[in-house]
C-alpha cells in the first residue's frame, strides 16, 4: 500500500479553496447585477395642472372713490317777527310737504295791525277823492276867471299829497300783511323737520331771529367725492377722444352703495365738476345727485362711488387666484406649445364681476395655470388639463 504525499494533498486543497472563492465572487456579482436591474430610476410623469384661456368680454371701466352724502337743501326755520310762540304744529322728525304750517307766533296782534293799516288806507282814499273833486272845481273856476291861479295851485298840491298818502297807506297795508304772514312759519319745501328748539309760550324774535328748527330736503340727495389727478387725466383724455364737453360729462351716470350694501344699487348722475384741482391734495371735487324717494340715503353717510368713463369691448380676465407676485410685480404662469410652464409679467386692472382684468402681457389664446400654482415652477413640463374659468353671477350695480 502506497501512502499519500502530504505536500501534494495540501496543494490539492488549496486549489479547491481558490475555486470556491471564485464561485462565491461570481455569485455575488450576479446578485448585485440583479439588484441593480430592480432599482433603475424611472422619472415620474408630468404633473396634471388645470389650465384655461382667459375670459374675453366687454368690460366697463370705472373711477371708484369714497364720498359722503349731503342735503341739496337745508334751512334753519327762524322767527321773523317778535311774539310769544302760540303753537307747534308738527311732530318732531316728521316728513312734511311744502307749505305745511309748522309754528304759530301770536298772530292776533299782527292781524290787528293789518286792519289798522287797511282803515288808514280807506281814509287816504277818501281824502284823495275829496282832493280830486276840489281840484276839478278849481280848474273850472280858473277857466272862468272866478278864482286866482294860486288857488288852483293850492288845490293841485292837496291832490298830489292825498295821492302820496294813499300810496303810503297801501304800502303800510302790504307790510302789515307780510308781518302777519310771518306769524305762521311754514315749510319752504318738502323735507324732514328736526326737533323743535323752542317751547310754546316762549318769546321769540325779540332781539334777533330765533331759530325754531331745521328742515332738510331728502329727495334727491347730493353725493360729494374727489377724483385723483391721474384719474382726471384719464377721463379728460377719454372725453377728448370721444369729443365730449363738460356739459356731456355732467350726464354721466354714477353708482352709489352704502358700506353695508352689496354692489352699487343707487343710480344718479353727475351734477358738478370743480373747475380747478386742490393743490394741497391733488384731487378734483366732484358732485353727483341721486334720487332718494325712499330716504335710504341720509345726509352725512359715507358711501362708495363709481363712475363709468370707458368700455373695453375685448378685455381679458382671469381669476385673482391665478396671479402671483414677486419683486418685479404681478405675473401669470402660462403653458407654451411644448407644455412647459413660463412666467409672464402682466399689468393688472380692476376687478369685474369677480375676475381680474389683465391690461397687458396676455394674449387671448394663452393657456393660463389657474390652479395648483404651488405644484409647478417656470421651466417645468406639465400635463395640462384644459378647463374653463368659472364666471360668477353678475353683482348688483
Amino acid at each position: 500500500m502506497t501512502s499519500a504525499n502530504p505536500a501534494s494533498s495540501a496543494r490539492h486543497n488549496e486549489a479547491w479553496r481558490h475555486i470556491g472563492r471564485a464561485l462565491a465572487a461570481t455569485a455575488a456579482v450576479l446578485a448585485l447585477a440583479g439588484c441593480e436591474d430592480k432599482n433603475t430610476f424611472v422619472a415620474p410623469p408630468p404633473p396634471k395642472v388645470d389650465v384655461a384661456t382667459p375670459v374675453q368680454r366687454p368690460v366697463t371701466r370705472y373711477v371708484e372713490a369714497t364720498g359722503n352724502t349731503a342735503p341739496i337743501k337745508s334751512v334753519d326755520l327762524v322767527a321773523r317777527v317778535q311774539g310769544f310762540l302760540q303753537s307747534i304744529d308738527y311732530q318732531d322728525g316728521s316728513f312734511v310737504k311744502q307749505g305745511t304750517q309748522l309754528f304759530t307766533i301770536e298772530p292776533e296782534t299782527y292781524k290787528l295791525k293789518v286792519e289798522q293799516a287797511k282803515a288808514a288806507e280807506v281814509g287816504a282814499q277818501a281824502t284823495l277823492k275829496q282832493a280830486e273833486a276840489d281840484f276839478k272845481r278849481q280848474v273850472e273856476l280858473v277857466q272862468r276867471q272866478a278864482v286866482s291861479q294860486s288857488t288852483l295851485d293850492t288845490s293841485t298840491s292837496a291832490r298830489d299829497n292825498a295821492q302820496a298818502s294813499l300810496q303810503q297807506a297801501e304800502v303800510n297795508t302790504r307790510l302789515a300783511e307780510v308781518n302777519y304772514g310771518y306769524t305762521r312759519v311754514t315749510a319752504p319745501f318738502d323735507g324732514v323737520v328736526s326737533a323743535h328748539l323752542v317751547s310754546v309760550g316762549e318769546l321769540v324774535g325779540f332781539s334777533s331771529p330765533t331759530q325754531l328748527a331745521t328742515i332738510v330736503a331728502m329727495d334727491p340727495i347730493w353725493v360729494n367725492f374727489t377724483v385723483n389727478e391721474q384719474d382726471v387725466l384719464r377721463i379728460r383724455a377719454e372725453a377728448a377722444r370721444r369729443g365730449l364737453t363738460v356739459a356731456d360729462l355732467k350726464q354721466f351716470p354714477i353708482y352709489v352703495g352704502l358700506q353695508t350694501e352689496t354692489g352699487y344699487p343707487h343710480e344718479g348722475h353727475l351734477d358738478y365738476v370743480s373747475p380747478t384741482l386742490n393743490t394741497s391734495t391733488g384731487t378734483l371735487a366732484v358732485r353727483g345727485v341721486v334720487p332718494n324717494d325712499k330716504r335710504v340715503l341720509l345726509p352725512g353717510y359715507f358711501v362708495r362711488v363709481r363712475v363709468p368713463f370707458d368700455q373695453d369691448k375685448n378685455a381679458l380676465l382671469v381669476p385673482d387666484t391665478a396671479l402671483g407676485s414677486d419683486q418685479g410685480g404681478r405675473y401669470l404662469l402660462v403653458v407654451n406649445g411644448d407644455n412647459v410652464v413660463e412666467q409672464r409679467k402682466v399689468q393688472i386692472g380692476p376687478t369685474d364681476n369677480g375676475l381680474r382684468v389683465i391690461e397687458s402681457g396676455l394674449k387671448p389664446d394663452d393657456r393660463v395655470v389657474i390652479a395648483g400654482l404651488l405644484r409647478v415652477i417656470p421651466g417645468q413640463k406639465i400635463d395640462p388639463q384644459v378647463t374653463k374659468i368659472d364666471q360668477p353671477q353678475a353683482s348688483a350695480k
Side-chain angles (χ1 to χ4, degrees):
M1 177 178 295
T2 304
S3 60
N5 187 350
S8 176
S9 178
R11 285 195 297 270
H12 184 267
N13 292 335
E14 184 66 23
W16 278 108
R17 283 196 296 271
H18 282 297
I19 292 172
R21 285 196 292 268
L23 292 173
T26 301
V29 170
L30 292 174
L32 289 173
C35 291
E36 288 179 358
D37 290 341
K38 293 180 180 179
N39 293 327
T40 301
F41 174 75
V42 178
K48 294 182 178 181
V49 178
D50 290 341
V51 300
T53 56
V55 173
Q56 190 170 13
R57 67 171 183 233
V59 169
T60 302
R61 299 186 183 276
Y62 297 92
V63 171
E64 297 187 351
T66 300
N68 64 281
T69 55
I72 287 181
K73 292 180 283 188
S74 178
V75 173
D76 292 335
L77 302 172
V78 299
R80 302 178 67 176
V81 292
Q82 178 177 331
F84 292 97
L85 187 66
Q86 182 171 302
S87 65
I88 299 173
D89 307 309
Y90 75 100
Q91 293 293 324
D92 291 351
S94 61
F95 176 81
V96 297
K97 302 292 287 185
Q98 181 178 358
T100 301
Q101 185 167 325
L102 305 176
F103 298 92
T104 304
I105 304 171
E106 197 177 4
E108 189 63 27
T109 300
Y110 293 92
K111 182 179 180 181
L112 293 174
K113 289 183 178 180
V114 171
E115 295 176 355
Q116 184 182 38
K118 287 182 176 180
E121 185 178 343
V122 171
Q125 289 173 346
T127 301
L128 176 61
K129 184 177 180 180
Q130 181 181 1
E132 285 179 341
D134 182 68
F135 170 76
K136 290 178 181 179
R137 285 193 300 270
Q138 298 302 325
V139 169
E140 292 176 357
L141 292 173
V142 167
Q143 289 175 350
R144 294 193 303 224
Q145 296 182 349
V147 297
S148 65
Q149 182 64 37
S150 61
T151 304
L152 177 60
D153 293 341
T154 302
S155 179
T156 303
S157 177
R159 183 202 62 179
D160 294 341
N161 286 332
Q163 287 178 339
S165 297
L166 177 59
Q167 291 176 353
Q168 181 64 48
E170 290 172 345
V171 170
N172 290 338
T173 299
R174 288 197 294 271
L175 286 174
E177 289 173 342
V178 168
N179 287 329
Y180 178 57
Y182 287 157
T183 63
R184 292 174 172 83
V185 180
T186 60
F189 48 79
D190 295 355
V192 176
V193 188
S194 70
H196 59 275
L197 303 177
V198 292
S199 301
V200 173
E202 186 174 343
L203 180 63
V204 297
F206 58 92
S207 60
S208 61
T210 303
Q211 184 176 350
L212 307 175
T214 300
I215 183 170
V216 179
M218 304 293 289
D219 179 31
I221 196 167
W222 275 333
V223 176
N224 297 302
F225 59 100
T226 59
V227 179
N228 63 53
E229 186 173 352
Q230 184 177 3
D231 286 337
V232 171
L233 293 174
R234 286 196 300 157
I235 294 172
R236 288 177 63 86
E238 179 63 19
R241 185 183 69 82
R242 295 166 58 183
L244 301 177
T245 65
V246 175
D248 296 326
L249 290 176
K250 290 184 178 180
Q251 300 306 313
F252 273 34
I254 69 167
Y255 301 100
V256 177
L258 296 173
Q259 305 300 318
T260 55
E261 291 178 327
T262 301
Y264 300 81
H266 310 284
E267 181 178 353
H269 64 86
L270 289 180
D271 176 63
Y272 168 76
V273 178
S274 173
T276 60
L277 266 75
N278 186 323
T279 56
S280 61
T281 61
T283 58
L284 185 74
V286 183
R287 186 180 71 203
V289 59
V290 178
N292 191 35
D293 56 333
K294 296 182 179 179
R295 298 195 288 278
V296 175
L297 302 175
L298 296 180
Y301 272 165
F302 282 98
V303 293
R304 297 173 290 108
V305 183
R306 70 177 185 179
V307 182
F309 72 94
D310 186 23
Q311 186 174 54
D312 188 344
K313 295 182 179 179
N314 296 300
L316 300 178
L317 303 96
V318 299
D320 261 335
T321 54
L323 286 161
S325 62
D326 56 19
Q327 292 181 347
R330 306 304 296 272
Y331 65 83
L332 291 170
L333 296 181
V334 179
V335 180
N336 63 19
D338 297 325
N339 293 337
V340 175
V341 177
E342 297 178 350
Q343 181 172 306
R344 187 79 58 80
K345 296 294 183 183
V346 294
Q347 295 292 327
I348 66 172
T351 57
D352 181 81
N353 193 22
L355 299 178
R356 177 69 63 176
V357 176
I358 304 300
E359 302 283 7
S360 63
L362 190 64
K363 295 181 291 186
D365 57 350
D366 281 336
R367 294 181 298 170
V368 179
V369 177
I370 61 172
L373 270 69
L374 298 178
R375 295 188 286 111
V376 295
I377 59 174
Q380 180 182 9
K381 190 165 185 175
I382 65 167
D383 181 9
Q385 305 296 303
V386 179
T387 183
K388 288 187 177 181
I389 296 174
D390 293 331
Q391 300 191 53
Q393 295 295 322
S395 60
K397 287 183 178 180

